Coordinates of all heavy atoms in Angstrom, one line a residue:
M16 N -11.2 14.3 19.2 CA -10.3 13.3 19.6 C -9.0 13.3 18.7 O -9.1 13.3 17.5 CB -11.1 11.9 19.6 CG -10.1 10.8 20.0 SD -11.0 9.3 20.0 CE -11.6 9.3 21.7
A17 N -7.9 13.2 19.4 CA -6.6 13.1 18.6 C -6.2 11.7 18.4 O -6.5 10.8 19.2 CB -5.6 13.8 19.3
Y18 N -5.4 11.4 17.3 CA -4.9 10.1 17.1 C -3.5 10.2 17.3 O -2.7 11.0 16.8 CB -5.1 9.7 15.6 CG -4.5 8.4 15.2 CD1 -5.0 7.2 15.5 CD2 -3.3 8.5 14.4 CE1 -4.4 6.0 15.2 CE2 -2.7 7.2 14.1 CZ -3.2 6.1 14.4 OH -2.7 5.0 14.1
K19 N -3.0 9.3 18.2 CA -1.6 9.2 18.5 C -0.9 8.2 17.7 O -1.2 7.0 17.8 CB -1.3 9.0 20.0 CG 0.2 8.9 20.4 CD 0.3 8.7 21.8 CE 1.8 8.6 22.1 NZ 2.2 8.3 23.5
S20 N 0.0 8.6 16.8 CA 0.7 7.7 16.0 C 2.0 7.2 16.7 O 2.7 8.1 17.2 CB 1.1 8.4 14.6 OG 1.8 7.5 13.9
T21 N 2.3 5.9 16.5 CA 3.6 5.4 16.9 C 4.7 5.4 15.9 O 5.8 4.9 16.1 CB 3.4 4.1 17.6 OG1 2.8 3.1 16.6 CG2 2.5 4.1 18.8
I22 N 4.3 5.9 14.7 CA 5.3 5.9 13.6 C 6.4 6.9 13.8 O 6.0 8.0 14.2 CB 4.5 6.2 12.2 CG1 3.5 5.1 11.9 CG2 5.6 6.3 11.1 CD1 4.1 3.7 11.8
T23 N 7.5 6.6 13.6 CA 8.6 7.4 13.8 C 9.1 7.9 12.5 O 8.8 7.4 11.4 CB 9.8 6.7 14.5 OG1 10.4 5.7 13.7 CG2 9.5 6.3 15.9
E24 N 9.9 9.0 12.4 CA 10.5 9.5 11.2 C 11.3 8.3 10.5 O 11.3 8.2 9.3 CB 11.4 10.7 11.5 CG 11.9 11.5 10.1 CD 12.6 12.6 10.6 OE1 12.2 13.5 11.3 OE2 13.6 12.9 9.9
H25 N 12.0 7.6 11.4 CA 12.8 6.5 10.8 C 12.0 5.5 10.0 O 12.3 5.0 8.9 CB 13.5 5.7 11.9 CG 14.3 4.6 11.5 ND1 15.5 4.7 10.8 CD2 14.1 3.3 11.6 CE1 16.0 3.5 10.5 NE2 15.2 2.6 10.9
S26 N 10.7 5.2 10.5 CA 9.7 4.4 9.8 C 9.5 5.0 8.5 O 9.4 4.2 7.4 CB 8.5 4.2 10.6 OG 8.7 3.6 11.8
F27 N 9.2 6.2 8.3 CA 8.9 6.9 7.1 C 10.1 6.6 6.1 O 9.8 6.3 4.9 CB 8.5 8.4 7.2 CG 7.2 8.6 7.8 CD1 7.1 9.2 9.1 CD2 6.0 8.2 7.2 CE1 5.9 9.3 9.7 CE2 4.8 8.4 7.8 CZ 4.8 9.0 9.0
E28 N 11.2 7.0 6.5 CA 12.5 6.8 5.7 C 12.5 5.4 5.1 O 12.9 5.2 4.0 CB 13.7 7.1 6.5 CG 13.8 8.7 6.8 CD 15.1 9.0 7.6 OE1 16.0 8.1 7.7 OE2 15.0 10.1 8.3
G29 N 12.3 4.3 6.0 CA 12.4 2.9 5.5 C 11.4 2.8 4.5 O 11.6 2.1 3.5
R30 N 10.2 3.2 4.7 CA 9.1 3.0 3.6 C 9.6 3.7 2.3 O 9.4 3.1 1.3 CB 7.8 3.5 4.1 CG 7.2 2.7 5.2 CD 5.8 3.2 5.5 NE 5.2 2.3 6.5 CZ 4.9 2.7 7.7 NH1 5.3 3.9 8.1 NH2 4.4 1.9 8.6
F31 N 10.1 4.9 2.3 CA 10.5 5.6 1.2 C 11.6 4.9 0.4 O 11.7 4.8 -0.8 CB 10.8 7.0 1.4 CG 9.6 7.9 1.7 CD1 9.5 8.5 2.9 CD2 8.6 7.9 0.8 CE1 8.3 9.3 3.1 CE2 7.5 8.8 1.0 CZ 7.3 9.4 2.2
K32 N 12.5 4.3 1.3 CA 13.7 3.6 0.6 C 13.3 2.4 0.0 O 13.7 2.1 -1.2 CB 14.7 3.2 1.7 CG 15.5 4.4 2.3 CD 16.5 4.0 3.3 CE 17.2 5.2 3.8 NZ 18.2 4.8 4.9
I33 N 12.3 1.7 0.5 CA 11.7 0.5 0.0 C 10.9 0.8 -1.4 O 11.2 0.2 -2.5 CB 10.8 -0.3 0.9 CG1 11.6 -0.9 2.1 CG2 10.1 -1.4 0.1 CD1 10.7 -1.4 3.1
R34 N 10.2 1.9 -1.3 CA 9.4 2.3 -2.5 C 10.3 2.7 -3.7 O 10.2 2.3 -4.8 CB 8.5 3.5 -2.1 CG 7.7 4.0 -3.4 CD 6.7 5.0 -3.1 NE 7.3 6.3 -2.6 CZ 6.8 7.3 -2.2 NH1 5.4 7.3 -2.0 NH2 7.4 8.4 -1.8
K35 N 11.5 3.4 -3.4 CA 12.5 3.9 -4.3 C 13.1 2.7 -4.9 O 13.4 2.5 -6.2 CB 13.5 4.8 -3.7 CG 14.6 5.2 -4.7 CD 15.5 6.3 -4.1 CE 16.6 6.7 -5.1 NZ 16.8 6.2 -6.3
K36 N 13.4 1.6 -4.2 CA 14.1 0.4 -4.7 C 13.1 -0.2 -5.7 O 13.5 -0.7 -6.7 CB 14.4 -0.6 -3.5 CG 15.7 -0.2 -2.9 CD 16.0 -1.2 -1.8 CE 17.2 -0.7 -1.0 NZ 17.5 -1.8 0.1
L37 N 11.8 -0.4 -5.3 CA 10.9 -1.0 -6.1 C 10.6 -0.2 -7.5 O 10.5 -0.7 -8.5 CB 9.5 -1.1 -5.4 CG 9.5 -2.1 -4.3 CD1 8.2 -2.0 -3.5 CD2 9.7 -3.5 -4.7
V38 N 10.6 1.1 -7.4 CA 10.5 2.0 -8.6 C 11.8 1.8 -9.5 O 11.7 1.6 -10.6 CB 10.4 3.5 -8.2 CG1 10.5 4.4 -9.5 CG2 9.0 3.7 -7.6
D39 N 12.9 1.9 -8.9 CA 14.3 1.6 -9.6 C 14.3 0.3 -10.3 O 14.9 0.2 -11.4 CB 15.4 1.9 -8.7 CG 15.6 3.3 -8.2 OD1 15.0 4.2 -8.8 OD2 16.3 3.5 -7.3
A40 N 13.7 -0.7 -9.6 CA 13.7 -2.1 -10.2 C 12.6 -2.3 -11.2 O 12.5 -3.4 -11.8 CB 13.6 -3.1 -9.1
G41 N 11.6 -1.3 -11.4 CA 10.6 -1.4 -12.3 C 9.4 -2.1 -11.8 O 8.5 -2.4 -12.5
V42 N 9.4 -2.5 -10.5 CA 8.3 -3.3 -9.9 C 7.1 -2.3 -9.6 O 6.0 -2.7 -9.8 CB 8.8 -3.9 -8.6 CG1 7.6 -4.6 -7.8 CG2 9.8 -4.9 -8.9
L43 N 7.4 -1.0 -9.3 CA 6.4 0.1 -9.2 C 6.8 1.0 -10.3 O 7.9 1.4 -10.6 CB 6.6 0.8 -7.8 CG 5.9 0.3 -6.6 CD1 6.2 1.1 -5.4 CD2 4.4 0.3 -6.8
M44 N 5.6 1.4 -10.9 CA 5.7 2.4 -12.1 C 4.8 3.5 -11.8 O 3.6 3.4 -11.4 CB 5.4 1.5 -13.3 CG 5.4 2.4 -14.6 SD 5.0 1.5 -16.1 CE 3.3 1.4 -15.9
H45 N 5.3 4.7 -12.1 CA 4.4 5.9 -12.1 C 3.4 5.9 -13.3 O 3.8 5.6 -14.5 CB 5.3 7.1 -12.2 CG 6.0 7.5 -10.9 ND1 5.5 8.1 -9.8 CD2 7.3 7.1 -10.6 CE1 6.5 8.1 -8.9 NE2 7.5 7.6 -9.4
E46 N 2.2 6.0 -13.0 CA 1.2 6.1 -14.1 C 0.3 7.3 -13.6 O -0.6 7.2 -12.8 CB 0.3 4.9 -14.2 CG -0.6 4.9 -15.3 CD -1.3 3.5 -15.5 OE1 -0.6 2.5 -15.9 OE2 -2.5 3.3 -15.0
G47 N 0.5 8.5 -14.2 CA -0.2 9.7 -13.8 C 0.2 10.0 -12.3 O 1.4 10.1 -12.0
N48 N -0.8 10.2 -11.5 CA -0.6 10.4 -10.1 C -0.5 9.3 -9.2 O -0.4 9.3 -8.0 CB -1.7 11.4 -9.5 CG -1.6 12.7 -10.1 OD1 -0.5 13.3 -10.4 ND2 -2.7 13.5 -10.2
N49 N -0.6 8.0 -9.8 CA -0.6 6.8 -9.1 C 0.7 6.0 -9.3 O 1.5 6.2 -10.2 CB -1.7 5.9 -9.7 CG -3.1 6.5 -9.5 OD1 -3.4 7.0 -8.4 ND2 -3.9 6.5 -10.5
L50 N 1.0 5.1 -8.4 CA 2.1 4.2 -8.6 C 1.3 2.8 -8.8 O 0.5 2.4 -8.1 CB 2.9 4.1 -7.3 CG 3.9 5.2 -7.1 CD1 4.5 5.2 -5.8 CD2 4.9 5.1 -8.2
I51 N 1.7 2.0 -9.8 CA 1.2 0.8 -10.2 C 2.2 -0.3 -10.0 O 3.4 -0.1 -10.5 CB 0.7 0.8 -11.6 CG1 -0.2 1.9 -11.9 CG2 0.0 -0.6 -12.0 CD1 -1.5 1.9 -11.2
F52 N 1.8 -1.4 -9.4 CA 2.7 -2.6 -9.4 C 2.7 -3.3 -10.7 O 1.7 -3.6 -11.3 CB 2.3 -3.6 -8.2 CG 2.8 -3.2 -6.9 CD1 2.0 -2.5 -6.1 CD2 4.1 -3.6 -6.5 CE1 2.4 -2.2 -4.8 CE2 4.5 -3.3 -5.1 CZ 3.6 -2.6 -4.3
T53 N 3.9 -3.5 -11.3 CA 4.0 -4.1 -12.6 C 4.2 -5.6 -12.5 O 4.1 -6.2 -13.5 CB 5.2 -3.5 -13.4 OG1 6.3 -3.7 -12.7 CG2 4.9 -1.9 -13.6
E54 N 4.5 -6.0 -11.3 CA 4.7 -7.5 -11.0 C 4.4 -7.7 -9.6 O 4.3 -6.8 -8.8 CB 6.1 -8.0 -11.5 CG 7.2 -7.2 -10.7 CD 8.6 -7.7 -11.3 OE1 9.0 -7.1 -12.3 OE2 9.3 -8.4 -10.5
D55 N 4.2 -9.0 -9.2 CA 4.0 -9.4 -7.9 C 5.3 -9.0 -7.0 O 6.4 -9.2 -7.5 CB 3.7 -10.9 -7.7 CG 2.4 -11.4 -8.4 OD1 1.5 -10.4 -8.7 OD2 2.2 -12.6 -8.6
A56 N 4.9 -8.6 -5.9 CA 5.9 -8.3 -4.9 C 5.4 -8.7 -3.5 O 4.2 -8.7 -3.2 CB 6.2 -6.8 -4.7
S57 N 6.2 -9.5 -2.7 CA 5.8 -10.1 -1.4 C 6.0 -9.1 -0.3 O 7.0 -8.4 -0.2 CB 6.7 -11.3 -1.1 OG 6.4 -12.3 -2.1
F58 N 5.0 -9.0 0.7 CA 5.0 -8.3 1.8 C 4.4 -9.1 2.9 O 3.7 -10.1 2.7 CB 4.2 -6.9 1.6 CG 4.8 -6.0 0.7 CD1 4.5 -6.1 -0.7 CD2 5.7 -5.0 1.1 CE1 5.1 -5.1 -1.6 CE2 6.3 -4.1 0.1 CZ 5.9 -4.3 -1.1
S59 N 4.6 -8.7 4.1 CA 4.1 -9.5 5.3 C 2.6 -9.4 5.4 O 2.0 -10.3 6.1 CB 4.8 -9.0 6.6 OG 4.6 -7.7 6.8
S60 N 2.0 -8.3 4.9 CA 0.6 -8.2 5.0 C 0.2 -7.1 3.9 O 0.9 -6.4 3.4 CB 0.2 -7.7 6.4 OG 0.6 -6.4 6.5
P61 N -1.2 -7.1 3.7 CA -1.7 -6.1 2.8 C -1.5 -4.7 3.2 O -1.2 -3.8 2.4 CB -3.2 -6.4 2.6 CG -3.4 -7.8 3.0 CD -2.3 -8.1 4.0
S62 N -1.6 -4.5 4.5 CA -1.3 -3.2 5.1 C 0.2 -2.8 5.0 O 0.5 -1.6 4.7 CB -1.7 -3.1 6.6 OG -3.1 -3.3 6.6
A63 N 1.0 -3.7 5.1 CA 2.5 -3.4 5.0 C 2.8 -3.0 3.5 O 3.5 -2.1 3.2 CB 3.3 -4.7 5.3
A64 N 2.1 -3.7 2.6 CA 2.4 -3.4 1.1 C 1.8 -2.0 0.8 O 2.5 -1.2 0.2 CB 1.7 -4.5 0.3
S65 N 0.6 -1.8 1.3 CA -0.1 -0.5 1.1 C 0.6 0.7 1.6 O 0.5 1.9 1.2 CB -1.5 -0.5 1.3 OG -1.7 -0.6 2.8
S66 N 1.4 0.5 2.7 CA 2.1 1.6 3.4 C 3.4 2.0 2.5 O 3.8 3.2 2.7 CB 2.5 1.2 4.8 OG 3.5 0.3 4.8
I67 N 3.8 1.2 1.7 CA 5.0 1.6 0.9 C 4.6 2.6 -0.1 O 5.5 3.6 -0.3 CB 5.5 0.2 0.1 CG1 6.0 -0.7 1.2 CG2 6.6 0.7 -0.8 CD1 7.1 -0.3 2.1
V68 N 3.5 2.6 -0.8 CA 3.2 3.5 -1.8 C 3.1 5.0 -1.2 O 3.8 5.9 -1.7 CB 1.9 3.1 -2.6 CG1 1.5 4.2 -3.5 CG2 2.2 1.8 -3.3
P69 N 2.2 5.2 -0.2 CA 2.2 6.6 0.3 C 3.2 7.0 1.3 O 3.4 8.1 1.7 CB 0.8 6.6 1.0 CG 0.6 5.3 1.4 CD 1.3 4.3 0.4
G70 N 3.9 6.0 1.8 CA 5.0 6.2 2.9 C 4.5 6.5 4.2 O 5.0 7.1 5.0
R71 N 3.3 6.1 4.4 CA 2.7 6.1 5.8 C 1.8 4.9 6.1 O 1.5 4.1 5.2 CB 1.6 7.4 5.8 CG 0.6 7.3 4.8 CD -0.4 8.6 4.9 NE -1.3 8.5 3.8 CZ -2.3 7.7 3.5 NH1 -2.4 6.7 4.4 NH2 -3.1 7.8 2.5
Q72 N 1.3 4.8 7.3 CA 0.4 3.6 7.5 C -0.8 3.7 6.7 O -1.3 4.9 6.5 CB 0.0 3.7 9.0 CG 1.0 3.3 10.0 CD 0.6 3.1 11.4 OE1 0.0 4.1 12.0 NE2 0.7 2.0 12.1
A73 N -1.3 2.6 6.3 CA -2.5 2.5 5.4 C -3.1 1.2 5.6 O -2.5 0.3 5.6 CB -2.1 2.7 3.9
P74 N -4.5 1.2 5.8 CA -5.2 -0.1 5.9 C -5.3 -0.8 4.6 O -5.9 -0.4 3.7 CB -6.6 0.3 6.4 CG -6.8 1.7 5.8 CD -5.3 2.4 5.8
G75 N -4.6 -1.9 4.4 CA -4.5 -2.6 3.2 C -5.8 -3.0 2.7 O -6.0 -2.8 1.4
P76 N -6.7 -3.7 3.4 CA -8.0 -4.1 2.8 C -8.8 -3.0 2.2 O -9.7 -3.1 1.3 CB -8.7 -4.8 4.0 CG -7.6 -5.2 4.9 CD -6.5 -4.2 4.8
M77 N -8.6 -1.7 2.7 CA -9.4 -0.6 2.1 C -8.5 0.3 1.2 O -9.1 1.0 0.4 CB -9.9 0.3 3.4 CG -11.0 -0.6 4.2 SD -11.7 0.4 5.4 CE -10.5 1.5 6.2
S78 N -7.3 0.0 1.2 CA -6.4 0.8 0.3 C -6.2 0.2 -1.1 O -6.1 0.9 -2.2 CB -4.9 0.9 0.9 OG -5.0 1.6 2.1
W79 N -6.2 -1.2 -1.2 CA -6.0 -1.8 -2.5 C -7.3 -1.8 -3.2 O -8.3 -2.2 -2.8 CB -5.5 -3.2 -2.3 CG -4.1 -3.2 -1.8 CD1 -3.8 -3.6 -0.6 CD2 -3.0 -2.7 -2.4 NE1 -2.4 -3.4 -0.4 CE2 -2.0 -2.9 -1.5 CE3 -2.7 -2.2 -3.6 CZ2 -0.6 -2.5 -1.8 CZ3 -1.4 -1.9 -4.0 CH2 -0.3 -2.0 -3.0
I80 N -7.3 -1.3 -4.5 CA -8.4 -1.2 -5.4 C -8.1 -2.0 -6.7 O -7.0 -1.7 -7.3 CB -8.7 0.3 -5.8 CG1 -9.1 1.1 -4.5 CG2 -9.8 0.4 -6.7 CD1 -9.1 2.5 -4.6
N81 N -8.9 -2.8 -7.1 CA -8.8 -3.6 -8.3 C -9.1 -2.8 -9.5 O -9.7 -1.7 -9.4 CB -9.4 -4.9 -8.3 CG -11.0 -4.9 -8.3 OD1 -11.6 -3.8 -8.6 ND2 -11.7 -6.0 -7.9
T82 N -9.0 -3.4 -10.7 CA -9.3 -2.7 -12.0 C -10.8 -2.4 -12.1 O -11.2 -1.4 -12.9 CB -8.9 -3.5 -13.1 OG1 -9.4 -4.8 -13.1 CG2 -7.3 -3.6 -13.2
S83 N -11.7 -3.1 -11.4 CA -13.1 -2.6 -11.5 C -13.4 -1.7 -10.3 O -14.6 -1.3 -10.3 CB -13.9 -4.0 -10.9 OG -13.7 -5.0 -11.9
G84 N -12.5 -1.2 -9.7 CA -12.8 0.0 -8.7 C -13.2 -0.5 -7.3 O -13.6 0.3 -6.5
K85 N -13.2 -1.8 -7.1 CA -13.6 -2.3 -5.7 C -12.4 -2.5 -4.8 O -11.2 -2.9 -5.3 CB -14.3 -3.7 -5.9 CG -15.6 -3.6 -6.6 CD -16.3 -4.9 -6.7 CE -17.6 -4.7 -7.4 NZ -18.7 -5.5 -6.8
T86 N -12.6 -2.2 -3.5 CA -11.6 -2.4 -2.6 C -11.3 -3.9 -2.3 O -12.2 -4.7 -2.6 CB -11.7 -1.7 -1.3 OG1 -12.8 -2.2 -0.6 CG2 -12.0 -0.2 -1.6
D87 N -10.2 -4.3 -1.8 CA -10.0 -5.7 -1.4 C -10.9 -6.1 -0.4 O -11.4 -7.2 -0.4 CB -8.5 -5.8 -0.9 CG -8.1 -7.2 -0.6 OD1 -8.3 -8.2 -1.4 OD2 -7.5 -7.5 0.4
K88 N -11.2 -5.1 0.5 CA -12.3 -5.4 1.5 C -13.7 -5.8 0.9 O -14.3 -6.8 1.3 CB -12.4 -4.3 2.5 CG -13.4 -4.6 3.6 CD -13.5 -3.5 4.6 CE -14.4 -3.9 5.7 NZ -14.5 -2.9 6.8
E89 N -14.0 -5.0 -0.1 CA -15.3 -5.3 -0.8 C -15.3 -6.7 -1.5 O -16.3 -7.4 -1.4 CB -15.6 -4.2 -1.8 CG -15.9 -2.9 -1.2 CD -16.0 -1.8 -2.1 OE1 -15.2 -1.7 -3.1 OE2 -16.9 -0.8 -1.9
V90 N -14.2 -7.0 -2.1 CA -14.0 -8.2 -2.8 C -14.1 -9.4 -1.7 O -14.8 -10.4 -2.0 CB -12.7 -8.3 -3.6 CG1 -12.5 -9.7 -4.1 CG2 -12.7 -7.3 -4.8
Q91 N -13.4 -9.3 -0.8 CA -13.4 -10.3 0.4 C -14.8 -10.5 0.9 O -15.3 -11.6 1.1 CB -12.5 -10.0 1.5 CG -11.0 -10.1 1.1 CD -10.1 -9.6 2.3 OE1 -10.5 -9.4 3.5 NE2 -8.8 -9.4 2.0
E92 N -15.6 -9.4 1.2 CA -16.9 -9.5 1.7 C -17.8 -10.1 0.7 O -18.8 -10.9 1.1 CB -17.5 -8.1 2.1 CG -16.7 -7.6 3.4 CD -17.1 -6.1 3.7 OE1 -17.7 -5.5 2.8 OE2 -16.7 -5.7 4.8
S93 N -17.7 -9.8 -0.6 CA -18.6 -10.4 -1.6 C -18.4 -11.9 -1.8 O -19.3 -12.7 -1.9 CB -18.5 -9.6 -2.9 OG -17.3 -9.9 -3.5
H94 N -17.1 -12.4 -1.5 CA -16.9 -13.7 -1.5 C -17.4 -14.5 -0.3 O -17.8 -15.6 -0.4 CB -15.3 -14.1 -1.7 CG -14.8 -13.6 -3.2 ND1 -15.3 -14.2 -4.2 CD2 -13.9 -12.8 -3.5 CE1 -14.7 -13.8 -5.3 NE2 -13.9 -12.9 -4.9
S95 N -17.4 -13.8 0.8 CA -17.8 -14.5 2.0 C -19.4 -14.6 2.0 O -19.9 -15.4 2.7 CB -17.3 -13.8 3.3 OG -17.9 -12.5 3.3
N96 N -20.1 -13.8 1.2 CA -21.5 -13.8 1.2 C -22.0 -14.9 0.2 O -23.2 -15.0 0.1 CB -22.1 -12.4 0.8 CG -21.8 -11.4 1.9 OD1 -21.8 -11.8 3.1 ND2 -21.8 -10.2 1.6
E97 N -21.2 -15.4 -0.6 CA -21.5 -16.4 -1.6 C -21.8 -17.8 -1.0 O -21.3 -18.2 0.0 CB -20.5 -16.6 -2.7 CG -20.4 -15.3 -3.5 CD -19.2 -15.4 -4.5 OE1 -18.5 -16.3 -4.6 OE2 -19.2 -14.4 -5.3

């Protein structure tokens, strides 16, 4: 089964421009092969924020990993089970 993406080349360019601005401003910093947020940045959703780093669509709840190695989704699920 194929996945049809509705992302256009223009969408990728927009994400890369935003990422470059964040890197230039010091909000995103290269750390090895990773980009790390050095301060809070506002986005419309976790997925919107997570798409900036790789420059493609990315599921926010499964893309964000905390310092303990848990995804945002795992953290949310563990809090809902309490």
Side-chain angles (χ1 to χ4, degrees):
M16 177 179 271
Y18 174 77
K19 182 178 179 184
S20 175
T21 58
I22 298 297
T23 64
E24 187 173 317
H25 178 71
S26 298
F27 288 113
E28 288 177 18
R30 288 185 178 109
F31 287 121
K32 285 180 184 177
I33 293 169
R34 180 174 66 188
K35 182 175 179 346
K36 285 181 183 180
L37 292 171
V38 168
D39 291 346
V42 176
L43 272 175
M44 180 180 73
H45 290 277
E46 188 174 285
N48 290 331
N49 299 314
L50 284 170
I51 307 293
F52 278 93
T53 61
E54 60 186 75
D55 291 342
S57 296
F58 293 90
S59 60
S60 70
S62 295
S65 65
S66 70
I67 295 302
V68 175
R71 59 172 170 72
Q72 283 185 311
M77 296 184 319
S78 297
W79 292 111
I80 300 171
N81 67 16
T82 55
S83 299
K85 294 189 181 218
T86 66
D87 187 45
K88 183 176 181 176
E89 290 170 327
V90 172
Q91 290 174 13
E92 288 173 349
S93 69
H94 288 301
S95 68
N96 292 332
E97 293 177 356

